[in-house]
Amino acid sequence: MDKAIFKYNGGLGALLCSKCRVIMKLGSSFTEEEIKAIKGKLDMPPQYCKQCKTNSYDSTRKSK
């Protein structure tokens, strides 16, 4: 996945983890950049929750 994932959750936008799809942030607390991205005016890079970031970091360290 090469960009952030946005979905609508009960009428509000939600930013999802690009790996596990957990809701990370609701539209009521979006930054200007996230608002533009959910409207399709901007492509945001993939976003990851703390758990997926940690697992990704651990797996890259073990493979070296």
Side-chain angles (χ1 to χ4, degrees):
M1 185 80 34
D2 59 354
K3 63 181 184 176
I5 301 170
F6 291 95
K7 297 287 181 183
Y8 283 96
N9 180 30
L12 283 177
L15 174 62
L16 307 182
C17 173
S18 292
K19 185 172 183 180
C20 71
R21 305 292 198 271
V22 69
I23 296 174
M24 296 176 22
K25 196 173 193 183
L26 294 176
S28 58
S29 59
F30 279 178
T31 63
E32 287 295 319
E33 181 182 27
E34 291 162 340
I35 292 169
K36 288 178 183 177
I38 199 168
K39 291 179 178 180
K41 296 179 181 179
L42 176 73
D43 284 336
M44 276 184 64
Q47 304 293 303
Y48 300 101
C49 66
K50 289 180 184 178
Q51 183 69 36
C52 289
K53 280 183 186 177
T54 301
N55 289 343
S56 177
Y57 175 72
D58 288 344
S59 65
T60 57
R61 280 185 53 150
K62 291 177 185 174
S63 65
K64 290 184 177 182

